[in-house]
């Protein structure tokens, strides 16, 4: 793929998750190395061995997760590594003056003496930008810069970006928030599946067209489109105005209302980081509910523990496999027992039942075609796809009433994906309610009977299968509009 | 089973290397003959003078050294298990020494202040030691789970609190025996014979009930860790706390339990020392068996079987150390071997990298979906 | 009364430097993010080498060799924990055990089990103006190490807070990845800190055998390294805090010894054990009250991996 970035422009790079935006920019910043192809800077081919080379050539990057030392002041963070000195002593006065000068030049308002951990997220981001500018960056790459910002802070950031452009800097936004992109960028490059699919002028396009380019033309439904029947099974999960807080105290779920019936697959569509993960955590008892109420399998949703959720019949295929789904140093059969370690056939009274465990594990390894089918292997010795098969096998084997699956097919090859999907449909046929959370819109649409769209912790749309419209859903995923479905 | 052997390779290599390095150390400071002779004496002192016995010697030339080795090994097994159990729950128990001191004191107090029938007295003394050690360890667990204080820091501090308070206050103050005869003794009052750990082989060997007890405890810990649901949950909590939590395991509770058990094991080590060989809390509990436990546990791969084997080995070495004194080599020499072995185990990544360079390792098969 | 206080101050100033240097060594290493439970072992190595070297050469040179010995053990720690990212606590403890047993072995095979022969102590300096002045006189008649120990914490503080290298050290202990993205070497900074910490701990040990005593004894430093760790934690990982805590602990110790010899009656009410346990008890209480996160470097104990994403 090729992309041209011109001096003094505001470029946006948009695309779905996994489209390759961040990889591309990490190549530009010297963090990854290209297998093929060249980077030309001012017409000259360059090779960046490390971020250091990129910095030297005037490229600055603001990572999504800030690279700031929280206990140091703004000025200390900015000058770190190229500190002004006087008689060998760190010249904080000059550092502050320099930082203030840089701030003034670009229209920032920052107190250089403030400790970074006392600043708001928006200000911390500005510190990151000042850090790059202070090192002489002419090209500034911002990776998902508004993901952590309030709308006001985002607006402020755009103002800054325009100011930078006026002074001849180039700013590259990586984003999937189309509305914001349209309001700030001049040129928009759209990526899909590792390739550049379009370059458009912001003035000549609109959200719907961009969303369309991003997710691809509406594809005809794959295979036979199943007929849709409104859910008739009992209500397994009824959530009313759920609110949950993230680690930084901000609301990550903000008034989510949804229901899951027995015998249906409910999909959650949304771009990464809009509250899907937290929704799964609340329902499985891993994250406390801040506000709101609901019933889960006939009992209240509040004060739910992971243990209690499992006892009620909730199974969970989490997203972060190696951290949350398996204990990677334990064997396959031990991982099979995880979550059910106290029940037959994995235990008899207080004792583990090795024979029963082995037998059940071997049965499941066979049924799910896990390779190699060795129950004694540590789970981390398996490939990612086979690890996932172990997890899915375990969670389905416990005969759940409600199944919460997050990104169940990430990293799996095609046949494994088909297998997982078939299993989920089987569960539905058995009368299990499935809550499917995936960043892959195609997966959500092919699997689900109903879809809720999440954006910034709120439900921005609900669709039933006959109403599925990729474009409309894509729009709801990328901008907040009141739901009218 | 091949897997288990492979896991033991770095430890075996480390111990072997430590033995070689230490031999060279004697050879350099003395000469090679002394070095070889010293190792031979260490062997005799540890597992008995078999040549002399086969030449028609007394049975004692075998039984006595073996008994010495067994009593040393009993202590190392218990403190090694203490560290290993905490490790299984993801905690680093540097505090076995302090827990042992507290346990030893509890055993000495119950053994000397209480009079009861032997069938009751000994178990009571052992129980008191275990409970005292457990409570001492639970302080560290509480600080960790509620206040986020790293257990390494808190257990180091607790060690010294225990040692200073016991050695410099309780033993020389409130618990000092009232001198009755003409001679004054250091340490607490002597315990009643009913609280003694009985000797198993009469007078020819100092081996006492502590050794089989330590082996039984090791078997118990093994069964708990490997065969029970609780043990499984504890190991899961130690290896993958997040996954354990998602599986409904009360992670904090399991960690606290493991730390309590670790303390109880170290406390028992103190009891074995007091009830088996010292018969009182000595003026100063010199032997740093609690610190040895760290080395034993790590060399033994932190599992009960490995710990037991390692403890038996170093127990024999230590019993042999006393014989090395005949040649003018300090009796703490086996501790040097043990320390170096730990250092080499700590550097096992270096070993493994050297070994792996020979083989090509399979690449990880995680293929991102396009 | 005044005389008593002066005597107390004098013995504090005599005993404190070892603790201060070792605590500073701990601070240096840990502020860069490398746990240093091997201070005790590094002190022992420093004490032993300084005493042995001083048998053959001028004592100050011996002290330098002692420092190098401390750094030598620290280098093993650094190699395992920085280069190979192995568990920092394990390698620190391993160093302690090796130094403990190795010191005993070398002492026995080279000299006698109880200690090295006596060496010439570091010279004591008589401060002309204040010598003999009540109370102030306690400042006179110490070895150079005492005066160094009174100055070094402030120098260290100044370096840590007011120089580029200090800024980088603080940054690398808090967030090594931020330092790496700016093109600085995380490994290099940590190596420097660990070796520097070893030099300081070695110096602390050397002071014990060349200024406080006149030989290396079997049990030197007898747990002083762990007390230095307590001082480091109690001083909230800052040079001046560690200095204050170490001085306070040394004063407590001097008070205890002073009481034992001059007023044993008081010790009937406050047993020695309490005074001995005080540093550790206070540290525990401080940690219990305010938690650890608030003061310990954020990246302490976590090995730095370049590709962590």
């Amino acid at each position: 793929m090729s992309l041209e970035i011109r001096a003094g422009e505001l470029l946006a790079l948009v695309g779905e998750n996994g489209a390759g935006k961040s990889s591309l920019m990490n190549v530009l910043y010297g963090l990854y190395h290209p297998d093929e192809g060249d980077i030309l800077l001012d017409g000259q081919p360059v090779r960046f061995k490390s971020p250091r080379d990129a910095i030297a050539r005037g490229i600055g990057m603001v990572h999504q997760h800030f690279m700031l030392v929280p206990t140091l002041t703004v000025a200390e963070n900015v000058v770190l590594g190229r500190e002004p000195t006087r008689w060998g002593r760190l010249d904080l006065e000059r550092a502050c003056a320099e930082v203030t000068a840089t701030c003034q030049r670009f229209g920032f308002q920052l107190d250089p003496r403030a400790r970074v951990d006392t600043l708001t997220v928006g200000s911390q981001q500005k510190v990151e930008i000042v850090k790059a500018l202070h090192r002489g960056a002419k090209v500034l790459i911002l990776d998902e810069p508004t993901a952590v910002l309030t709308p006001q802070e985002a607006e402020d950031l755009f103002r800054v970006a325009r100011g930078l452009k006026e002074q001849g800097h180039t700013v590259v936004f990586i984003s999937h928030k189309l509305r914001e992109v349209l309001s700030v960028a001049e040129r928009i490059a759209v990526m899909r599946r590792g390739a550049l699919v379009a370059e458009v002028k912001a003035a000549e396009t609109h959200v719907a067209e961009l969303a369309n380019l991003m997710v691809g033309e509406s594809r005809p439904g794959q295979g036979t489109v199943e007929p849709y029947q409104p859910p008739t099974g009992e209500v397994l999960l009824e959530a009313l105005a759920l609110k949950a807080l993230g680690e930084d105290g901000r609301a990550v779920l903000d008034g989510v209302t949804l229901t899951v019936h027995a015998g249906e697959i409910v999909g959650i569509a949304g771009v990464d980081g809009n509250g899907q993960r937290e929704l799964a955590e609340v329902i499985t008892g891993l994250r406390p509910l801040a506000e709101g109420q609901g019933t889960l399998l006939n009992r209240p949703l509040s004060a739910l523990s992971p243990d209690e959720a499992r006892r009620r019949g909730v199974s969970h295929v989490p997203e972060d496999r190696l951290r949350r789904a398996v204990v990677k140093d334990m064997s396959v059969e031990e991982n099979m027992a995880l979550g059910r370690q106290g029940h037959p056939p994995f235990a008899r009274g207080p004792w583990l039942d090795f024979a029963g465990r082995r037998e059940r594990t071997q049965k499941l390894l066979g049924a799910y075609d896990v390779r190699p089918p060795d129950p004694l292997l540590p789970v981390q010795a398996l490939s990612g796809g086979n690890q996932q098969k172990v997890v899915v096998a375990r969670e389905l084997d416990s005969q759940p009433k409600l199944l919460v699956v997050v990104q169940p097919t990430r990293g799996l090859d095609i046949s494994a994906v088909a297998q997982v999907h078939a299993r989920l449909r089987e569960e539905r046929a058995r009368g299990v309610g499935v809550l499917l959370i995936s960043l892959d819109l195609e997966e959500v649409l092919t699997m689900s009977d109903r879809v809720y769209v999440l954006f910034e912790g709120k439900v921005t749309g609900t669709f039933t299968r006959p109403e599925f419209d990729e474009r409309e859903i894509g729009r709801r995923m990328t901008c907040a509009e009141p739901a009218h479905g | 089973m091949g897997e288990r052997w492979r896991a033991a390779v770095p430890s075996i290599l480390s111990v072997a290397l430590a033995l070689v390095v230490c031999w060279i150390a004697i050879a350099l400071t003395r000469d090679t003959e002394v070095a070889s002779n010293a190792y031979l004496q260490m062997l005799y002192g540890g597992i008995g003078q078999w040549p002399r016995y086969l030449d028609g010697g007394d049975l004692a030339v075998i039984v006595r050294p073996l008994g010495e080795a067994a009593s040393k090994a009993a202590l190392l097994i218990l403190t090694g298990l203490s560290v290993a159990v905490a490790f299984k729950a993801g905690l680093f128990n540097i505090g076995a020494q302090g827990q042992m001191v507290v346990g030893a004191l509890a055993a000495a107090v119950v053994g000397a202040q209480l009079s009861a029938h032997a069938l009751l007295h000994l178990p009571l003394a052992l129980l008191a030691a275990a409970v005292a050690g457990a409570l001492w360890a639970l302080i560290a667990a509480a600080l960790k789970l509620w206040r986020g204080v790293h257990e390494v820091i808190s257990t180091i501090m607790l060690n010294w609190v225990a040692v200073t308070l016991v050695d410099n206050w309780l033993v020389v103050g409130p618990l000092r025996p009232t001198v009755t005869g003409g001679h004054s003794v250091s340490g607490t009052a002597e315990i009643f014979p009913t609280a003694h750990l009985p000797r198993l082989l009469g007078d020819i060997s100092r081996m006492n009930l502590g050794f089989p007890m330590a082996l039984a405890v090791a078997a118990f810990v093994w069964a708990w860790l490997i065969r029970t649901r609780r043990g499984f949950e504890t190991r899961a909590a130690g290896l993958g706390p997040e996954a354990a939590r998602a599986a409904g395991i009360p992670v904090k509770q399991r960690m606290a339990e493991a730390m309590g058990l670790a303390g109880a094991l170290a406390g028992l080590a103190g009891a074995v020392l007091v009830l088996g060989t010292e018969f009182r809390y000595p003026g100063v509990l010199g032997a740093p068996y609690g610190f040895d436990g760290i080395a034993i546990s790590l060399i033994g791969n932190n599992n009960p079987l490995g710990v037991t084997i390692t403890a038996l080995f170093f127990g024999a070495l230590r019993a042999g150390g006393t014989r090395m004194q005949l040649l003018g080599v300090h009796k703490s020499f086996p501790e040097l071997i043990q320390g170096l072995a730990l250092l080499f185990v700590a550097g096992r990544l270096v070993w493994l990298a050297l070994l792996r360079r020979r083989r090509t390792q399979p690449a990880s098969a995680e293929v991102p979906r396009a | 009364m005044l005389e008593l206080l002066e005597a107390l101050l004098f013995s504090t100033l005599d005993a404190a430097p070892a603790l201060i240097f070792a605590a500073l060594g701990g601070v240096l290493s840990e502020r860069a993010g490398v746990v240093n439970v091997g201070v005790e072992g590094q002190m022992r190595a420093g004490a032993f080498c300084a005493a042995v070297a001083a048998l053959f050469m001028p004592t100050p040179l011996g002290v330098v060799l002692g420092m190098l010995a401390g750094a030598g053990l620290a280098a093993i720690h650094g190699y395992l924990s920085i280069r190979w990212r192995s568990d920092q606590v394990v390698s620190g403890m391993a160093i302690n055990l090796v130094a403990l047993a190795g010191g005993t072995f070398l002492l026995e095979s080279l000299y006698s089990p109880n200690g090295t022969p006596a060496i010439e102590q570091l010279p004591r300096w008589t401060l002309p103006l204040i010598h003999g002045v009540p109370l102030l006189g306690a400042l006179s008649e110490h070895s150079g190490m005492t005066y160094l120990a009174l100055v070094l914490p402030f120098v260290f503080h100044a370096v840590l807070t007011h120089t580029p290298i200090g800024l980088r050290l603080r940054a690398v202990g808090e967030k090594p990845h931020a330092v790496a993205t700016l093109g600085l070497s995380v490994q290099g900074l940590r190596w420097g800190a660990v070796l520097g910490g070893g030099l300081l701990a070695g110096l602390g040990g050397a002071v014990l055998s060349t200024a406080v005593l006149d030989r290396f004894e079997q049990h030197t430093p007898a747990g002083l390294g762990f007390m230095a760790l307590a001082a480091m934690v109690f001083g909230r990982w800052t040079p001046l805090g560690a200095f204050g805590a170490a001085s306070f602990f040394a004063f407590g110790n001097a008070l205890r010894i002073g009481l034992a010899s001059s007023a044993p009656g008081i010790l009937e009410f406050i047993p020695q054990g309490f005074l001995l346990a005080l540093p550790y008890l206070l540290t525990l209480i401080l940690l219990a009250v305010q938690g650890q996160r608030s003061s310990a470097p954020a990246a302490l104990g976590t090995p730095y991996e370049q590709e962590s994403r």
Side-chain angles (χ1 to χ4, degrees):
Chain A
M1 83 150 273
S2 300
L3 175 67
E4 197 172 283
I5 300 173
R6 296 168 202 145
E9 74 167 343
L10 284 172
L11 173 76
L13 192 60
V14 300
E16 273 191 306
N17 297 99
K21 304 171 304 228
S22 294
S23 305
L24 176 66
M25 288 303 131
N26 280 330
V27 168
L28 282 187
Y29 193 58
L31 277 170
Y32 296 174
H33 304 295
D35 295 329
E36 269 177 48
D38 294 307
I39 303 168
L40 301 179
L41 196 71
D42 300 328
Q44 301 287 318
V46 289
R47 266 193 69 81
F48 295 148
K49 283 199 283 293
S50 76
R52 197 174 196 162
D53 296 341
I55 295 169
R57 297 302 194 113
I59 295 177
M61 183 149 176
V62 175
H63 298 265
Q64 197 177 347
H65 304 284
F66 300 149
M67 291 294 179
L68 296 171
V69 184
T71 52
L72 298 185
T73 65
V74 171
E76 287 172 331
N77 263 290
V78 171
V79 300
L80 186 62
R82 38 160 59 217
E83 304 86 353
T85 54
R86 207 169 62 176
W87 312 107
R89 192 173 185 273
L90 180 63
D91 193 345
L92 266 184
E93 287 308 310
R94 214 170 93 211
C96 288
E98 282 177 13
V99 172
T100 309
T102 312
C103 283
Q104 270 172 2
R105 230 175 95 211
F106 298 101
F108 292 95
Q109 298 233 314
L110 286 173
D111 175 7
R113 286 180 180 79
R115 252 173 72 139
V116 161
D117 55 5
T118 65
L119 300 181
T120 62
V121 180
S123 300
Q124 293 191 10
Q125 187 174 55
K126 285 183 188 154
V127 178
E128 280 279 24
I129 296 174
V130 170
K131 216 165 91 176
L133 294 172
H134 191 74
R135 285 172 168 69
K138 299 299 287 178
V139 179
L140 203 58
I141 303 169
L142 306 173
D143 189 8
E144 301 283 359
T146 59
V148 290
L149 300 184
T150 64
Q152 291 77 24
E153 287 173 330
E155 201 43 58
D156 205 28
L157 174 70
F158 300 151
R159 194 180 50 73
V160 165
R162 288 188 203 104
L164 286 173
K165 187 228 151 188
E166 311 242 300
Q167 302 196 26
H169 287 75
T170 304
V171 181
V172 181
F173 278 92
I174 302 178
S175 182
H176 42 232
K177 297 190 178 175
L178 301 183
R179 237 164 232 294
E180 292 174 1
V181 160
L182 277 172
S183 74
V184 66
E186 297 165 331
R187 206 158 61 89
I188 299 168
V190 185
M191 285 186 74
R192 192 166 69 223
R193 292 169 196 250
L196 188 71
V197 292
E199 287 185 59
V200 290
K201 284 216 164 61
E204 298 166 5
T205 186
H206 49 87
V207 171
E209 187 192 13
L210 276 181
N212 217 6
L213 286 167
M214 210 166 101
V215 293
E217 288 300 319
S218 303
R219 289 171 293 266
Q222 292 176 342
T224 52
V225 176
E226 296 166 55
Y228 175 74
Q229 280 142 7
T232 52
E234 60 165 320
V235 176
L236 301 176
L237 169 69
E238 173 142 46
L240 291 169
L242 299 186
K243 189 171 173 189
L245 304 180
E247 277 68 30
D248 54 357
R250 296 194 316 148
V252 281
L253 285 183
D254 197 359
V256 170
T257 295
L258 56 79
T259 46
V260 178
H261 299 259
E264 67 168 346
I265 297 180
V266 174
I268 302 290
V271 173
D272 196 9
N274 278 292
Q276 303 99 311
R277 188 175 302 129
E278 289 80 6
L279 177 63
E281 287 174 351
V282 165
I283 296 169
T284 52
L286 287 164
R287 184 178 289 268
L289 202 54
E291 272 173 42
Q293 49 185 323
T295 47
L296 175 69
L297 297 159
N298 302 323
R299 267 168 286 171
L301 186 56
S302 52
L304 186 73
S305 71
D307 191 33
E308 169 67 13
R310 283 190 182 271
R311 259 184 276 140
R312 288 189 201 173
V314 180
S315 268
H316 181 27
V317 178
E319 174 190 23
D320 194 345
R321 195 186 306 131
L322 285 177
R323 203 169 72 91
R324 193 164 262 175
V326 298
V327 177
K328 57 184 197 286
D329 291 309
M330 282 185 145
S331 70
V332 169
E333 59 177 358
E334 286 178 309
N335 273 286
M336 275 298 182
L338 214 57
R340 296 182 286 161
Q341 62 274 3
H343 304 286
F346 299 99
R348 217 177 305 155
W351 301 96
L352 297 180
D353 181 350
F354 290 101
R357 184 169 84 183
R358 177 69 51 83
E359 192 188 334
R360 180 65 65 92
T361 304
Q362 267 162 346
K363 199 183 103 202
L364 289 171
L365 293 183
Y368 284 79
D369 189 30
V370 176
R371 289 178 214 183
D374 179 357
L376 290 175
L377 218 55
V379 131
Q380 63 181 349
L382 296 180
S383 70
N386 282 302
Q387 287 170 3
Q388 187 71 347
K389 285 182 194 171
V390 169
V391 175
V392 171
R394 175 183 77 200
E395 296 300 322
L396 295 189
D397 186 48
S398 62
Q399 309 276 322
K401 297 198 181 84
L402 176 70
L403 184 58
V404 180
V405 288
V406 188
Q407 295 271 68
T409 57
R410 192 174 63 167
L412 270 56
D413 62 30
I414 293 168
S415 66
V417 170
Q419 192 200 358
V420 169
H421 285 170
R423 295 281 178 187
L424 293 181
R425 289 202 178 95
E426 272 171 34
E427 292 301 303
R428 173 178 59 186
R430 250 181 11 92
V432 173
V434 180
L435 186 67
L436 168 67
I437 297 173
S438 175
L439 300 177
D440 182 348
L441 185 56
E442 191 187 328
E443 176 172 50
V444 171
L445 294 185
T446 49
M447 293 296 299
S448 309
D449 298 300
R450 292 191 297 127
V451 167
Y452 291 87
V453 182
L454 273 190
F455 177 73
E456 293 188 341
K458 296 185 176 71
V459 175
T460 55
T462 54
F463 300 82
T464 54
R465 188 175 312 114
E467 306 165 341
F468 283 178
D469 175 354
E470 272 191 55
R471 283 206 230 168
E472 182 59 23
I473 292 177
R475 262 188 39 209
R476 298 293 177 88
M477 280 162 58
T478 47
C479 60
E481 269 181 28
H484 53 72
Chain B
M1 293 306 106
E3 195 66 32
R4 194 171 289 174
W5 272 112
R6 207 170 314 146
V9 165
S11 295
I12 295 170
L13 280 178
S14 298
V15 172
L17 186 61
L19 285 169
V20 171
V21 169
C22 288
W23 185 88
I24 294 173
I26 305 183
L28 285 179
T29 50
R30 307 287 287 280
D31 58 62
T32 54
E33 201 180 326
V34 173
S36 303
N37 209 353
Y39 270 44
L40 194 65
Q41 292 304 325
M42 189 159 66
L43 195 67
Y44 285 161
I47 62 167
Q49 289 172 280
W50 286 91
R52 230 179 99 189
Y53 171 68
L54 293 176
D55 278 352
D58 192 17
L59 187 64
V61 297
I62 294 175
V63 177
R64 186 166 295 132
L66 279 179
E68 288 302 308
S71 7
K72 297 257 192 310
L75 296 167
L76 293 177
I77 288 174
L78 289 171
T79 55
L81 285 175
S82 168
V83 179
V85 162
F87 260 123
K88 287 292 178 195
L91 298 169
F92 201 154
N93 181 21
I94 306 264
Q97 183 71 20
Q99 294 145 19
M100 184 177 91
V101 164
V102 174
L105 185 74
V109 170
V110 171
Q113 311 287 335
L114 209 77
S115 65
H117 189 268
L119 278 179
L120 198 64
H121 201 178
L122 179 60
L124 269 180
L126 291 171
L127 185 71
V131 169
L135 289 177
W136 201 249
L138 281 174
I139 298 175
L143 284 171
K144 163 102 180 177
L145 298 176
W146 287 326
R147 306 296 301 159
V149 178
H150 199 286
E151 74 276 5
V152 168
I153 293 181
S154 60
T155 50
I156 288 178
M157 300 302 143
L158 283 168
N159 276 342
W160 291 96
V161 173
V163 169
T164 50
L165 283 186
V166 171
D167 286 4
N168 296 292
W169 171 45
L170 290 172
V171 172
V172 295
L175 296 176
R176 188 156 64 189
T178 42
V179 184
T180 45
H183 62 293
S184 77
V185 287
S186 63
T188 60
E190 185 156 343
I191 60 174
F192 288 112
T194 43
H196 283 199
L197 280 165
R199 292 210 174 156
L200 298 177
L201 299 170
D203 283 338
I204 58 171
S205 163
R206 291 211 296 171
M207 193 211 276
N208 57 48
L209 192 63
F211 180 63
M213 197 182 82
L215 289 179
V217 166
F220 163 79
V221 168
W222 173 83
W224 172 71
L225 273 176
I226 306 297
R227 304 205 76 103
T228 71
R229 175 190 160 188
R230 279 278 165 112
F232 174 80
E233 294 188 348
T234 307
R235 283 186 294 128
L239 287 170
E242 265 299 309
R245 194 169 85 89
I249 296 169
V251 172
K252 286 188 170 187
Q253 196 186 322
R254 293 288 172 273
M255 283 184 168
E257 284 167 10
M259 199 63 188
L261 178 58
L265 290 166
L268 273 182
V272 168
L273 191 64
V274 165
L275 308 176
T277 44
E278 301 283 349
F279 304 126
R280 62 160 57 84
Y281 187 97
V284 172
L285 193 74
Y289 286 109
F291 290 118
D292 294 329
I294 297 167
I296 299 296
S297 176
L298 285 160
I299 297 171
N301 259 344
N302 303 325
N303 76 56
L305 182 65
V307 165
T308 306
I309 294 172
T310 311
L312 289 174
F313 180 81
F314 281 104
L317 237 52
R318 293 203 163 189
T322 39
R323 269 189 86 88
M324 291 171 100
Q325 272 180 307
L326 302 175
L327 295 159
V329 178
H330 197 268
K331 68 173 190 298
S332 72
F333 188 74
E335 288 165 41
L336 179 61
I337 300 176
Q338 180 189 296
L340 278 174
L342 174 63
L343 189 64
F344 296 142
V345 167
R348 72 183 171 285
L349 291 174
V350 185
W351 289 102
L352 296 176
L354 287 174
L355 291 173
R356 206 174 296 141
R357 204 168 289 166
R358 309 259 162 78
R359 283 178 244 144
T360 49
Q361 65 198 100
S364 128
E366 182 104 354
V367 185
R369 194 158 159 252
Chain C
M1 189 63 213
L2 210 59
E3 263 168 47
L4 218 65
L5 197 60
E6 187 179 326
L8 205 58
L9 260 174
F10 182 84
S11 48
T12 304
L13 284 170
D14 228 23
L19 204 53
I20 292 172
F21 291 136
L24 290 181
V27 171
L28 180 55
S29 171
E30 300 218 342
R31 278 308 280 269
V34 182
V35 174
N36 196 358
V37 291
V39 170
E40 173 90 1
Q42 292 161 9
M43 282 181 90
R44 188 163 166 87
F48 180 79
C49 290
V52 171
L55 290 171
F56 307 103
M57 56 182 83
T59 306
L61 261 180
V63 171
V64 172
L65 277 178
M67 292 174 72
L68 290 178
L73 279 194
I76 297 175
H77 181 47
Y79 182 71
L80 294 181
S81 62
I82 301 173
R83 168 70 180 78
W84 289 97
R85 298 196 287 270
S86 54
D87 191 303
Q88 297 173 358
V89 179
V90 173
S91 71
M93 284 312 286
I95 281 174
N96 282 342
L97 291 179
V98 169
L100 185 68
T104 309
F105 168 71
L106 285 177
L107 185 63
E108 158 123 59
S109 41
L110 299 178
Y111 304 101
S112 90
N114 296 323
T116 57
I119 55 164
E120 194 181 330
Q121 274 194 319
L122 285 175
R124 288 178 177 266
W125 297 350
T126 309
L127 300 189
L129 279 177
I130 56 169
H131 187 66
V133 179
L135 211 56
L136 268 181
L139 271 170
S140 183
E141 285 293 311
H142 294 286
S143 75
M145 289 300 145
T146 296
Y147 307 109
L148 181 62
L150 291 177
V151 174
L152 197 61
F154 295 92
V155 175
F156 189 179
H157 173 77
V159 168
L160 201 59
T161 44
H162 296 302
T163 68
I165 195 77
L167 180 66
R168 293 172 189 189
L169 271 180
R170 279 182 287 149
V172 88
E174 291 288 337
K175 190 148 184 182
H177 290 276
V179 175
T181 51
L182 295 174
L184 298 170
S185 166
V186 174
Q187 315 250 349
L189 284 164
R190 288 195 162 173
W191 262 115
V194 167
L195 290 179
L199 284 175
L200 281 168
L203 178 61
V207 169
L208 282 178
S209 58
T210 61
V212 180
L213 304 169
D214 61 351
R215 72 193 69 197
F216 175 83
E217 288 189 340
Q218 192 187 356
H219 294 297
T220 309
L224 220 53
F226 290 108
M227 195 187 276
L229 287 182
M232 171 192 78
V233 176
F234 196 72
R236 313 189 67 189
W237 283 269
T238 62
L240 295 184
F243 169 62
S247 309
F248 175 63
F249 294 168
F251 178 77
N253 220 14
L255 183 67
R256 179 181 60 81
I257 295 165
L259 287 177
S261 64
S262 61
I266 295 179
L267 290 178
E268 294 288 315
F269 296 104
I270 314 164
Q272 291 212 31
F274 277 138
L275 291 174
L276 280 166
L278 207 58
Y280 311 106
L281 270 177
L282 286 176
T283 306
L284 276 174
I285 290 168
L286 182 84
L287 286 170
V289 169
Q290 61 166 211
Q292 189 185 342
R293 300 268 153 67
S294 55
S295 47
L300 185 60
T302 33
Y304 169 72
E305 292 179 50
Q306 227 148 9
E307 297 284 328
S308 79
R309 23 163 69 222

